């Protein structure tokens, strides 16, 4: 089956989706109760961020046990019910696997299985993904490696037990009905076993190592035996290196972060689209189109700023955003992304037009904030519990206080407020996710004025996005959907329209 080649996949951050037991934290019961909502959106699959037992040091990405569910979310039996019930709604389930590291409370680390981790007598010059040194010293004087927080020791992929364990975890979840796995930090697990200092101009000691490809080939064989898929989180600027992971015997798809990070600029977006499609074509892999996720500034806020691009290194608190302008652009970008050939991802709350919330300093949980010395605001602002109904927190999420605080003023952004409203973001997403199924085949650019992106799909439908400052006439065809109303038959600035073939 090739459903994944053109799928719409909805990302669920479990702590913040829906609270079923009124403790202020999202859980599996909350998701199960909202399956009708998810099915009504028009998505094909649900990707869950880690739901395993965890110390909570990094939003669940410090895993203690891959074969169980964190009690805050529910039980393993409930996860199995959720997978089965979602399938009854036509929704497949994708689980998150974190091969680079485990929790410091994982039995391997607790029981002193040092051969399964990276220990040495002194640190090298590597930098943590969260800032600072990735080495922590134990009382005996030895140092262990953690590319993220100290509570996330990196495992040693040169040891056969590490490889065997992860392959067994894949089978465990595929046996329970999971349709695929998303692989966190997929370019990081393998290290140069000598742990040398990082030197400019020499092969990177822990990013994009060639040995990774053999690991993912073995994972692909397992996935294929179940009819399941592998999705990689690949932050790689080199398109040719990126494409190697998508060869027919490796990963099925990977996240397109170049498109996500691209500024709201016609030339830059077209270049990103062209580069993406060109990189995927030789390996016959579908592209993916992503506007946001649990790690990046929400698109409504990002597109309302003077700098509309995204970079982890540039994240700062207190940057003003024109949210109305950002919302208009986000609507246009959503239809642009949905119309492109390949798969599209929707991060929870994106379909509601949620802006980034600047979490009060005393409520921040994200380790990125603390490891930056307070300079980086962290990622909590895009992880706020969803607003479902009502005029004040907790907006129908569950009980209050919620695990992260919700802002006042979101009453117009709730599902209840937007449901059925013709001009709401939710209605736009529902319309787009259902109508995009009529688009198919490759794409061809059409001639268009400067600042305008216009293309037609081979098997029906065309898309025009106006990033210029003036309204433009649309190409021939019947209007199917537009991100904002037309003005005297013209497409206004910061808007997208879909049309039938002429």
């Amino acid at each position: 089956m090739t459903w994944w080649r053109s799928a719409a996949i909805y990302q669920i951050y479990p702590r913040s989706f829906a609270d079923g037991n009124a403790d202020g934290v999202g859980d599996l019961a909350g998701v199960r109760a909202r399956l009708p909502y998810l099915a009504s959106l028009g998505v094909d699959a649900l990707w869950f961020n880690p739901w395993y037992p965890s110390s909570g040091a990094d939003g669940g990405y410090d895993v203690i046990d891959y074969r169980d569910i964190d009690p805050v979310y529910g039980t393993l039996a409930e996860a199995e019910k959720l997978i089965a019930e979602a399938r009854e709604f036509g929704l497949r389930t994708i689980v998150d696997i974190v091969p680079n590291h485990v929790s410091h409370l994982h039995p391997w680390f607790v029981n002193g299985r040092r051969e399964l981790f990276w220990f040495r007598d002194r640190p090298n010059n590597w930098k943590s993904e969260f800032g600072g040194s990735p080495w922590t010293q134990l009382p005996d004087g030895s140092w262990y490696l953690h590319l993220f927080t100290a509570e996330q020791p990196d495992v040693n992929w040169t040891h056969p037990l590490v490889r065997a364990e992860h392959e067994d975890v894949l089978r465990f979840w595929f046996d329970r009905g999971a349709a695929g796995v998303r692989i966190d930090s997929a370019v990081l697990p393998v290290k140069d076993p000598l742990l040398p200092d990082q030197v400019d101009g020499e092969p990177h000691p822990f990013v994009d190592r060639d040995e990774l490809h053999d690991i993912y080939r073995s994972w692909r064989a397992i996935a294929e035996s179940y009819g399941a898929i592998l999705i990689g989180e690949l932050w790689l600027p080199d398109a040719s290196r990126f494409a190697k992971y998508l060869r027919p015997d490796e990963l099925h798809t990977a996240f397109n972060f170049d498109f996500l990070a691209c500024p709201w600029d016609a030339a830059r977006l077209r270049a990103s689209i062209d580069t993406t499609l060109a990189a995927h074509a030789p390996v016959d892999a579908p592209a993916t189109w992503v506007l946001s996720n649990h790690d990046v500034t929400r698109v409504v806020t990002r597109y309302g700023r003077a700098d509309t691009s995204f970079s982890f290194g540039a994240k700062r608190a207190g940057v003003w955003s024109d949210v109305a302008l950002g919302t208009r652009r986000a609507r246009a970008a959503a239809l642009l992304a949905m119309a492109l050939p390949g798969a599209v991802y929707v991060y929870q709350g994106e379909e509601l037009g949620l802006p980034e919330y600047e979490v009060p300093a005393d409520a921040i949980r994200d380790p990125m904030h603390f490891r930056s010395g307070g300079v980086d605001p962290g990622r909590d602002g895009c992880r706020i519990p969803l607003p479902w109904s009502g005029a004040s927190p907790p907006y129908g999420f569950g009980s209050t206080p919620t695990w992260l605080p919700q802002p006042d003023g979101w009453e117009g952004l709730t599902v209840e407020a937007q449901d059925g409203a013709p001009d709401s973001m939710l209605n736009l997403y529902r319309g787009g996710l259902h109508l995009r199924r009529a688009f198919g085949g490759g794409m061809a650019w059409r001639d268009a004025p400067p600042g305008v992106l216009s293309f037609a799909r081979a098997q029906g439908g065309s898309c025009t996005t106006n990033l210029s400052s003036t309204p433009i006439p649309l190409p021939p065809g019947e209007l199917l959907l537009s991100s904002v109303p037309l003005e005297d038959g013209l497409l206004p600035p910061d808007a997208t329209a879909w049309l039938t073939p002429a």
Side-chain angles (χ1 to χ4, degrees), residues 82-101:
L82 171 55
I83 292 170
E85 290 170 357
R87 198 69 188 87
E88 292 175 1
F89 281 95
L91 301 169
R92 294 173 172 86
T93 297
I94 297 164
V95 299
D96 218 314
I97 300 295
V98 191
N100 181 71
H101 50 264

Side-chain angles (χ1 to χ4, degrees), residues 362-380:
D362 61 357
I364 293 176
R365 303 285 193 95
D366 187 10
M368 286 190 75
H369 170 75
F370 301 106
R371 288 183 66 89
S372 73
V375 174
D376 190 319
R379 300 162 294 178
D380 290 340

Side-chain angles (χ1 to χ4, degrees), residues 321-357:
S321 174
D322 181 341
V323 175
L325 176 62
T327 298
R328 184 183 180 92
R329 290 172 170 173
R331 292 172 65 93
L335 292 191
L336 170 63
M338 291 181 201
L340 291 166
V344 65
Y345 283 78
V346 178
Y347 173 50
Q348 64 177 48
E350 183 183 314
E351 80 278 17
L352 302 178
L354 297 187
E356 187 85 355
Y357 175 48

Side-chain angles (χ1 to χ4, degrees), residues 162-177:
V162 171
R163 183 160 177 164
E165 168 70 1
H166 283 80
E167 291 178 355
D168 190 66
V169 166
L170 293 179
R171 294 186 183 96
F172 180 88
W173 285 105
F174 293 155
D175 283 338
R176 279 153 185 78

Side-chain angles (χ1 to χ4, degrees), residues 21 47 99 107 115 163 195 214 225 245 266 314 364 426 454 488:
N21 65 356
W47 155 38
E115 74 278 14
R163 183 160 177 164
L195 303 180
D214 182 57
S225 72
Y245 290 88
I364 293 176
L426 177 57
S454 187
D488 297 324

Side-chain angles (χ1 to χ4, degrees), residues 70-91:
D70 195 308
V72 75
Y73 300 137
T75 65
L76 179 58
E78 193 168 14
E80 293 170 342
K81 287 181 181 178
L82 171 55
I83 292 170
E85 290 170 357
R87 198 69 188 87
E88 292 175 1
F89 281 95
L91 301 169

